[in-house]
Amino acid sequence: MAATFATSFLAPSVAKRKVCNPKRVSSSRSSSFLSGSISFSPFISLEPQSLLLSRKSLRVKATTLQQEDEKVVVEDLFPAKTSSIDQEEAIDSGVSTSTPSRVESWIIKFEQMLNIALTESVIKILDAFYRDRHYSRFFVLETIARVPYFSFISVLHMYESFGWWRRADYLKVHFAESWNELHHLLIMEELGGNSFWLDRFLAQHIAVFYYFMTVFMYMLSPRMAYHFSECVERHAYSTYDKFLKLKEEELKKLPAPEAAIKYYMSEDMYLFDEFQTARAPCTRRPKIENLYDVFVNIRDDEAEHCKTMKACQTHGNLRSPHSNMNMNMNTDSDEDETEPGCSTSEADCEGIIDCVKKSLTPHN
């Protein structure tokens, strides 16, 4: 099934790794969930000399941040405010920009409270079984972490079969996310995380239950399912971050697993770029010199998953990074050549809760 899907939706891989030119990637669609690294003081002087100094200092800061090893902070994953131009583009593309009503706010709060309670319950189980067995815990985490993407793709294929939904970007991105989590799992298996039968039994049976739970949740409310996945990815990020701080010196002395080298140093990085919807393609290229670097990249991958799940909670907000790049590269040339009837509307299905809410809303 993965091969069929990849043939249908994924662009052919390039023969050699090369630096892309991401400067034409749209910032309007990605700015809603990109987190800034530079903060601006409201008391900056507007005099020409002050502005010149400010620009120089910002350029130095940006260069320094680019040269350092990338440090992703999960707490900075909240969407930025959109301008009126961004809102107009969002409306044209089907992205919801309306302020939630009081009832909808209560529903969102209830969904998030339930998700947090479920996540904390799973964390307590993992803490009880895997307090000091790090690789086994990571094996269980990665077995579970890729399940939601299977669930999302299953439901979206069903919707597509019924003609309720037509959004290829969601299928591409979710497949790329599952592909990334698969390689995390292969790394943990190579490190011996699946050595014990009980660990495999627990991980696989939790994954089966989690799959059907996520399918039901996604059909009921995609927003709730995406938020739950965000909670899981946040926990994964936090777990790897604590592990890195605890075992830094030890990990730097150990070699990187072969699975990590093949994945992170591959010539074909299309799928690696595809799941990172908060950044332009080719702007992140990992370095792998030891086991510490491997876990740094796994941790940063979880942060990127977190950003993508955050973006998905706004209906219609998800865009494939490569689709964004290609669309903006062709915007200038195609803008004047568009003929009436060339664009097709995308069918949508926002889940049972949203459908019921719409049916109860009076139409003018």
Side-chain angles (χ1 to χ4, degrees):
M1 188 177 74
T4 306
F5 170 79
T7 306
S8 304
F9 291 100
L10 302 180
S13 60
V14 295
K16 296 183 179 179
R17 291 181 61 183
K18 57 183 180 180
V19 178
C20 299
N21 183 12
K23 63 183 180 180
R24 303 196 64 175
V25 177
S26 172
S27 60
S28 60
R29 290 193 174 95
S30 61
S31 62
S32 59
F33 47 91
L34 277 170
S35 56
S37 299
I38 302 173
S39 60
F40 298 91
S41 170
F43 304 105
I44 293 177
S45 172
L46 296 179
E47 296 179 5
Q49 186 176 1
S50 300
L51 287 174
L52 182 59
L53 292 173
S54 176
R55 287 173 186 153
K56 287 182 178 180
S57 63
L58 288 177
R59 282 197 294 268
V60 171
K61 186 174 182 181
T63 305
T64 304
L65 289 173
Q66 186 176 6
Q67 291 174 348
E68 292 177 354
D69 292 338
E70 189 172 359
K71 297 180 181 179
V72 186
V73 181
V74 180
E75 286 75 11
D76 295 335
L77 301 178
F78 299 99
K81 293 182 180 179
T82 56
S83 64
S84 58
I85 297 176
D86 293 335
Q87 291 177 350
E88 290 176 3
E89 291 184 0
I91 292 172
D92 293 339
S93 61
V95 179
S96 175
T97 58
S98 59
T99 304
S101 63
R102 181 175 297 182
V103 175
E104 188 174 1
S105 298
W106 289 345
I107 294 174
I108 294 174
K109 185 177 292 187
F110 172 77
E111 291 175 352
Q112 294 182 351
M113 288 174 60
L114 181 59
N115 287 339
I116 292 171
L118 287 171
T119 306
E120 290 179 349
S121 300
V122 175
I123 292 173
K124 288 180 180 178
I125 295 174
L126 294 177
D127 288 340
F129 279 88
Y130 303 102
R131 185 170 300 276
D132 297 319
R133 299 171 56 218
H134 300 292
Y135 293 154
S136 297
R137 181 191 183 105
F138 297 154
F139 166 76
V140 175
L141 267 179
E142 296 301 342
T143 302
I144 297 171
R146 67 195 192 119
V147 168
Y149 308 119
F150 298 155
S151 302
F152 300 157
I153 292 173
S154 298
V155 175
L156 292 176
H157 272 302
M158 183 186 72
Y159 287 168
E160 195 173 59
S161 300
F162 292 150
W164 296 347
W165 179 90
R166 289 289 188 277
R167 286 189 185 274
D169 281 16
Y170 280 73
L171 288 172
K172 289 173 64 180
V173 171
H174 291 330
F175 178 79
E177 288 180 293
S178 70
W179 189 252
N180 175 259
E181 298 288 9
L182 166 64
H183 287 83
H184 291 180
L185 181 62
L186 293 176
I187 292 169
M188 299 312 157
E189 289 178 350
E190 190 172 338
L191 292 172
N194 64 336
S195 300
F196 294 102
W197 174 86
L198 182 61
D199 296 330
R200 299 194 299 271
F201 178 86
L202 182 65
Q204 292 164 0
H205 284 74
I206 291 177
V208 171
F209 172 79
Y210 189 23
Y211 171 82
F212 288 104
M213 185 193 78
T214 308
V215 166
F216 174 76
M217 187 184 294
Y218 195 66
M219 293 178 66
L220 188 68
S221 172
R223 177 187 58 224
M224 182 179 182
Y226 284 133
H227 179 262
F228 186 66
S229 293
E230 181 192 353
C231 292
V232 173
E233 299 294 357
R234 279 180 181 270
H235 170 67
Y237 174 92
S238 176
T239 302
Y240 286 122
D241 192 55
K242 291 177 182 177
F243 177 69
L244 283 166
K245 293 175 182 176
L246 182 66
K247 301 285 186 179
E248 179 176 356
E249 295 303 322
E250 180 182 339
L251 293 173
K252 286 183 177 179
K253 298 175 183 178
L254 298 174
E258 190 67 24
I261 296 173
K262 288 182 178 179
Y263 177 64
Y264 286 113
M265 306 300 290
S266 170
E267 293 182 351
D268 180 9
M269 300 295 279
Y270 182 91
L271 287 176
F272 180 78
D273 291 329
E274 185 67 17
F275 83 91
Q276 303 179 72
T277 58
R279 61 171 65 243
C282 303
T283 56
R284 179 184 167 213
R285 286 296 176 262
K287 68 168 187 176
I288 301 294
E289 296 177 357
N290 48 51
L291 191 55
Y292 179 81
D293 291 338
V294 173
F295 277 100
V296 166
N297 283 289
I298 292 175
R299 179 202 63 185
D300 293 352
D301 287 349
E302 303 299 351
E304 295 298 332
H305 285 297
C306 224
K307 295 176 185 179
T308 300
M309 292 297 97
K310 183 72 177 178
C312 287
Q313 292 170 49
T314 301
H315 177 68
N317 196 38
L318 186 67
R319 290 292 182 273
S320 160
H322 292 94
S323 297
N324 267 339
M325 184 173 66
N326 294 334
M327 182 168 49
N328 282 275
M329 289 176 65
N330 296 327
T331 296
D332 296 335
S333 58
D334 294 347
E335 195 171 30
D336 299 329
E337 300 176 6
T338 304
E339 298 179 4
C342 287
S343 60
T344 58
S345 60
E346 295 178 319
D348 257 331
C349 186
E350 303 179 41
I352 297 173
I353 289 180
D354 291 314
C355 292
V356 172
K357 183 184 70 175
K358 285 183 177 180
S359 65
L360 296 176
T361 303
H363 299 280
N364 294 329

